Amino acid sequence: MLFTSYEFLGFILIVFLLYYLIPKKFQWQMLLVSSYIFYFMADPVYLIYILVTTISVFLLGCKIEELRNRQSEYLKQNKESLSKEDKKAYKSKIKKKQWKILLAGLFINLGILAVVKYTNFAISNINAVIRMAKGKELGFLTIALPMGISFYTFQALGYIIDVYRGTCKAEKNPFKFALFVSFFPQLVQGPISRYNDLAETLYAEHKFDARRISFGLQRILWGFFKKMVVADRILTGVRTIIQDTDTYSGAYVFVGMMFYALELYADFTGGIDITIGIAETLGITVTENFNRPFFSKSVKEYWRRWHITMGTWFTDYIFYPISVCKPMLKFSKFAREHFGEVIGKRMPVYLSSFAVWLATGIWHGASWNFVVWGLGNWVVIMISQELEPLYQKFHGRFHLENNRCFHAFQVIRTILLMSCLRTFDCYRDVPLTFRMFGTMFTARNWNILWNGSLLQLGLDGADYIILILCVVLMTVVSLLQRKGKVRAQIADKSYPVRFVIWYGLFLAVLILGAYGVGYDASQFIYNQF
């Protein structure tokens, strides 16, 4: 049941009406039931997976908290009789037990994710080796890939790690925790919420607030606009170029990767807008996942602005633990002694970043193109980081820090770099991607940009005019966001102005939207993750 389907619109309308008609103390319970109905409608089998994650993480989180409370009570009762060494030994004993429980939670849930998402990828690589040895190949498994499993698994694991670290109290109510894991707007494509942030409003009682609901509906409408008018329209051109590599090479590859950059942005941010808007109409605050990423001046900055919750998750739960763990500190010491202070200090950053980007690539998909894509980002960021001193000297020498033209160059450069890396996502085959990328420099067909050939991609002149106007509109909105929420700025305008803006946007979605059968537009790209 996609956000852009008749079924979902009917579903969310029923949820909204019941949410504000029932007694407020039952609102969160009603959301829990709605979330499980939503997941059941996707596929009843999926419920098994999300229930295993919910129950295992809940019980293990409670056990970690119980050990922490037991430690606190024991130390309090025996404060006078225990020596400093005794206290340290007891704490160490409890910490080891908590660590084993955490490992059990990670093993169970990462194990489930690995089996359903990566088993066939592993088999395909084993078969590649067997094929070279001319042996009998293994058969692939038919395993259901639950909707949003990467999102809810990471959200649940973030919770249990926070409980282990003591930055989050374990939830004692299993049904409240179940809602945290399964809150239905987030199941499709995130964001990956932290328990302390989401719980603040998820379980609270919410009155009908016309202004807040109006803002939420406006955010939903903006999301539908980006998804249906922009992403699903340009998708036709992307598919045409990617699916016929013999015909569409050279300059078409450049066009395709730029089209895909726009499609991915409009699709992903559109879905997040719908998610945040739905939550807002219910009085629930969901973490923002984007911050004008196409205004970034470097790839590193881009990843601070794009899919923010995923980036912070990998940073907090992979980068920092690896960079400060005992084996890494020992290796850093070894590297300083044998390779010098400069390299020794950098090794933890290099290796921790490598682990993060390898995990990021694998998280996005079970195939080598995503692994290469992730490591490609790592290489670009590491090179940029090493060249930073030279950049600063160059900027200072030519006084470029406040030069708007140079800033524009940096933004365009970042967009092009990210678009080039995304060709691995487009073609989904590493050798093919390199081959197609190379044709941009060998095929002499750049005249297709002005000779009318782009009208043969399934998009006519009207489509291109609409897309250009949409890009201009999204750019203007992004610029206005520097002054605060655009919806709040519009709310300060007179009623006729507000009516024209929102009714015009509604008509744009209604008239210009690229509709599928039964108002079921193309699947959101990040559903697969």
Side-chain angles (χ1 to χ4, degrees), residues 117-118 120-129 354 357-358 360-376 421 423-425 427-434:
K117 195 170 180 179
Y118 304 106
N120 285 334
F121 176 55
I123 290 174
S124 68
N125 285 283
I126 293 171
N127 283 342
V129 176
F354 178 85
W357 284 107
L358 178 62
T360 301
I362 293 173
W363 181 87
H364 275 82
S367 57
W368 283 108
N369 64 291
F370 286 114
V371 174
V372 175
W373 167 82
L375 296 182
L421 287 169
T423 55
F424 291 102
D425 191 5
Y427 292 103
R428 303 294 175 95
D429 179 88
V430 176
L432 177 62
T433 300
F434 279 115

Side-chain angles (χ1 to χ4, degrees), residues 55-186:
I55 293 169
S56 63
V57 173
F58 172 77
L59 292 176
L60 294 173
C62 287
K63 186 61 179 177
I64 291 173
E65 185 81 6
E66 179 189 328
L67 286 170
R68 180 174 290 108
N69 293 336
R70 185 191 303 174
Q71 172 185 288
S72 179
E73 187 65 26
Y74 178 80
L75 293 176
K76 184 178 179 181
Q77 291 177 354
N78 299 275
K79 182 171 58 175
E80 302 299 332
S81 59
L82 291 173
S83 65
K84 191 174 182 180
E85 289 72 20
D86 291 336
K87 291 178 182 179
K88 185 177 180 180
Y90 183 77
K91 288 180 180 179
S92 177
K93 179 182 176 182
I94 294 295
K95 198 67 176 178
K96 287 180 180 178
K97 289 182 179 180
Q98 291 176 319
W99 173 242
K100 290 179 181 178
I101 294 170
L102 174 62
L103 285 180
L106 296 175
F107 178 79
I108 292 170
N109 292 284
L110 289 177
I112 292 171
L113 183 62
V115 169
V116 301
K117 195 170 180 179
Y118 304 106
T119 297
N120 285 334
F121 176 55
I123 290 174
S124 68
N125 285 283
I126 293 171
N127 283 342
V129 176
I130 292 175
R131 201 174 297 123
M132 288 188 291
K134 297 182 180 180
K136 187 177 180 181
E137 296 183 13
L138 301 175
F140 290 100
L141 302 180
T142 303
I143 306 175
L145 181 60
M147 178 179 63
I149 185 171
S150 296
F151 290 103
Y152 74 68
T153 298
F154 274 38
Q155 185 158 303
L157 293 181
Y159 160 84
I160 196 172
I161 294 171
D162 285 345
V163 172
Y164 169 79
R165 291 175 174 176
T167 58
C168 167
K169 290 284 186 181
E171 174 56 61
K172 302 301 181 185
N173 187 322
F175 299 104
K176 284 187 174 182
F177 181 71
L179 175 58
F180 166 72
V181 175
S182 65
F183 183 46
F184 73 89
Q186 294 189 154

